[in-house]
Structure formats: structure tokens, C-alpha cells
Amino acid sequence: MKIATKRGMIAASAVLLAALSLTACSNGSGSGSSSTADASKAQIGLLLPDSVTARYEAADKPFFEAKIKSLCPDCKVLYANADGDASKQQQQAESMLTQGVKVLVLDPFDGEAAASIVGEAKAKSVPVISYDRLINSKDVNYYISFDNEEVGKLQGTALVDKLKKDGVPAGSGILMVNGSPTDNNATLFKKGAHSVIDTSGYKVLAEYDTPGWDPAQAQNWVSGQITQFGSQIKGIYAANDGTGGGAIAALKAANVSPIPPVTGQDAELAGIQRILAGDQYMTVYKAIQPEAEKAAELAIALTKAQKPAGDTSVDTAGGAKIASFLLKPVAVTTDNIESTVVKDEFYGADSAAKICTADYKAACDKYGIK
């Protein structure tokens, strides 16, 4: 009996030690080992805004998913693209919340409308990371993006400097093809660009906020402006490569030659190739991989109830301060394609080969892209 009792005490002690060990490994977000198990198998929602911008499917999504996999092999990413529809994004978010996601990483199609998603997430104690575009809600937990006003300044500065370099006289006209009116980032791009253009000596002939960043609508608008202003148009500020491509298509359809300098953003493959062809003057390169990976790191931290400090804070349109991480954008012309998108393997390990197809090989050789 004494031997049996002693063995029972040893067994009980072993169970107690195991329980204490599991409790010590807990992340503090819940009770004991169940919290650790939840975090190690968490579902994380990734909601992106549209399909017309190439970067989302080609870069943001795969970079985010790969980083989540490396940090948490058993975690699952639930993904949805709103296809430029705020109502659809609302439904997608609600579906993810119903499925039990622990964190939402939300790039809003409409930064105002998405506030209701944040409200529903908060009601379920699900933190929200506002990704790339800022949501106008005080309940957003974090914001990860680039310095978007600086993006506009880079675009405006590049355009103005090019016009001056080419000897375009003061008082000459510029068109401004801005981004979507529902995207807070577009407001910041426009603000940054205006801060340069408005003091440059050049005048804005007309400007347009492009619904949903749709290149076709940008093209239609620019076509109308060419009919109205003709040769008065000496430069075009386009907020991204898609709208820039639309503007260039309108210029070509109207047989405008030479094509005036056109800006862009996102360093899309087609945009880089237009730069090499001399159709587009510049783009803004935003290193999407570190942005997506930072969002993934933060999402994993939130599943463990951790609260990392932001590098800075950004105010929503309503005045709320959101803990934020802002990355640095870079202006790209023919001079630094090799040292930016190629060096960073932005389109994969074969980035140079993807850029330098037969139509662009001579230009690639000229600018040292290999």
C-alpha cells in the first residue's frame, strides 16, 4: 500500500509539473495551454481591395501568406479580394468573422465604409490592422503603409524637374489624374503632389479623381482633356501606374507626339516597361515585401495578445491617432530600375528577364539592366 501511494504521489506530481509547464508557456491572452494552442493554429483574415491593381495578387498576397507560414506553420490565412466593391468587402469580412478569424488585415476599398467592418470586428474582440490604406475608425489597432504624402511629393517633384530640364516654360499646363475618391491614400498622394506643383510655376489645367483607380476611366477622362486643351498639356500627373497607363493610351489614341512626361506608382511590370520604352517618365517603388511581412509579423503578435509599439502614429480623417509603421517610397526612372526593382527581385528571381523581353532588350542593355 505504501508503495502504491508513493507511486500515486509521484504520478500526481508529474501531472502537476506538466500543467505548470504548460501554463508557463502560455502567451497570457487566455487561460493556460488552450491560448497557446489557439495562437498556433489561428485563422487570420486578409482582405484586399481590388483586382485592377496588379500588386495585390502578384505581391501583397503571396508575401503575406509566405511570412505567416514561416512564423506559424499551422496558422491559416483566409483571403478575399473585394474587386472594387465596398459592399462585397463588408460581406467578405463578416464571413471571416463568422469563421472565427483571430485578426483581420484589411486593405479597404472604401476607407469610410470599412469603419463598419472595424466596428463588427471589435464587437467580437478581433483586432484590425489597416493595411496600406487607412480606415477612418478610432478602433483600428494598427496601420501599416508608406509615407503616402511623400509619394505624392516624389511624383510631383519628378514631373516638375523633368519639365524644367526639358525647358518647358513657366505657366505651361499639367493634367492631374488622381486616385480613387474613396481611398484615403489617394487624398494624401494628391496633397503631396499639389504641395510641389502649386508652387512650381506650372498650372493645373484640370484634375480628376479616378473612381476605383480604374485605368479605363482615367483614359476616357484624359481623352476629353486632350480634345479640350490639346497641345497645352505639357505633363500629366498620374497617381499610379494603372491610371498612368490609361493616360498614355489616350495620348497615343490621339496621336500626341512626343508624349509628355507621365508619372506613376507601384512599379508595376507594365509601368517599368513603359518607362524603358519612353512612354512613361517615372513610377514610385514601394517595397511591398517588407510591408506585407510586417503586417504578417504584427498579425501573429496579435494572435498572442501582444501589443508591439508603433514606430509613429497617424491621424485618421476623424482625428484618432493610430499606432503606425510607415515605410519609405523611392522614385524610379530609367536611371535606377536596376538598383531598385531588379536588385530587390520585385518580380521574382528572374525580374530582369521578365522586364527585358524582346521589345525592351535594347533599352535594358542601354540602362544596364541584367
Side-chain angles (χ1 to χ4, degrees):
M1 291 293 294
K2 288 182 180 179
I3 293 173
T5 302
K6 187 173 183 180
R7 287 175 177 170
M9 290 176 65
I10 291 170
S13 298
V15 170
L16 179 60
L17 285 170
L20 288 172
S21 177
L22 286 171
T23 302
C25 291
S26 168
N27 56 43
S29 62
S31 57
S33 61
S34 63
S35 297
T36 305
D38 288 347
S40 67
K41 296 183 178 180
Q43 294 188 116
I44 297 165
L46 175 64
L47 295 132
L48 298 181
D50 63 63
S51 301
V52 299
T53 306
R55 57 168 280 194
Y56 294 127
E57 299 286 342
D60 297 80
K61 176 179 180 284
F63 285 140
F64 180 84
E65 289 177 334
K67 189 64 175 179
I68 290 290
K69 186 72 174 176
S70 72
L71 295 172
C72 182
D74 293 326
C75 287
K76 181 179 180 182
V77 175
L78 303 185
Y79 171 70
N81 190 303
D83 294 318
D85 185 332
S87 296
K88 183 176 181 178
Q89 190 165 63
Q90 177 84 31
Q91 293 165 3
Q92 292 168 338
E94 290 172 353
S95 174
M96 289 182 183
L97 291 170
T98 299
Q99 292 177 71
V101 294
K102 298 298 182 184
V103 180
L104 277 181
V105 179
L106 172 57
D107 189 342
F109 174 70
D110 185 325
E112 295 290 333
S116 63
I117 296 175
V118 179
E120 291 187 36
K122 184 182 179 183
K124 292 180 178 289
S125 299
V126 174
V128 176
I129 299 169
S130 188
Y131 179 74
D132 201 60
R133 302 175 179 179
L134 184 58
I135 302 165
N136 186 19
S137 170
K138 63 181 177 59
D139 295 319
V140 166
N141 297 80
Y142 291 94
Y143 172 50
I144 298 175
S145 189
F146 289 81
D147 185 336
N148 293 309
E149 193 169 331
E150 179 64 18
V151 169
K153 289 179 180 178
L154 289 174
Q155 293 168 317
T157 299
L159 179 59
V160 167
D161 287 352
K162 175 62 173 170
L163 292 176
K164 289 181 177 179
K165 181 180 178 181
D166 290 348
V168 177
S172 297
I174 292 172
L175 295 181
M176 291 190 68
V177 187
N178 303 311
S180 173
T182 63
D183 180 355
N184 182 69
N185 284 6
T187 301
L188 296 173
F189 302 149
K190 179 165 61 174
K191 180 181 178 182
H194 267 295
S195 72
V196 176
I197 293 170
D198 292 352
T199 58
S200 68
Y202 298 111
K203 65 180 179 181
V204 176
L205 298 170
E207 63 182 302
Y208 176 65
D209 293 345
T210 310
W213 292 94
D214 186 354
Q217 296 203 49
Q219 181 176 346
N220 290 339
W221 182 79
V222 172
S223 293
Q225 304 313 302
I226 293 170
T227 299
Q228 181 175 351
F229 294 109
S231 61
Q232 295 180 57
I233 302 168
K234 300 300 183 183
I236 297 181
Y237 165 83
N240 75 346
D241 291 337
T243 55
I248 291 165
L251 293 165
K252 288 189 171 184
N255 295 314
V256 174
S257 181
I259 292 176
V262 179
T263 67
Q265 178 187 180
D266 291 331
E268 291 183 1
L269 178 59
I272 291 293
Q273 289 177 329
R274 285 194 298 269
I275 291 171
L276 287 170
D279 294 333
Q280 182 172 321
Y281 176 59
M282 64 82 69
T283 188
V284 175
Y285 171 49
K286 300 187 298 187
I288 296 168
Q289 184 169 358
E291 181 188 19
E293 291 184 346
K294 185 64 181 179
E297 291 169 1
L298 192 52
I300 293 299
L302 288 170
T303 67
K304 300 175 182 178
Q306 298 171 358
K307 296 181 179 179
D311 290 339
T312 185
S313 66
V314 171
D315 291 349
T316 67
K321 291 191 179 299
I322 307 299
S324 302
F325 300 88
L326 299 180
L327 288 77
K328 185 178 180 180
V330 179
V332 174
T333 64
T334 52
D335 294 335
N336 62 339
I337 292 173
E338 169 68 25
S339 63
T340 53
V341 295
V342 174
K343 180 183 177 183
D344 290 355
E345 298 184 345
F346 191 52
Y347 315 114
D350 59 344
S351 288
K354 287 179 179 175
I355 295 169
C356 301
T357 57
D359 290 342
Y360 305 99
K361 187 178 184 308
C364 284
D365 291 343
K366 178 180 178 180
Y367 295 108
I369 299 170
K370 54 189 176 181

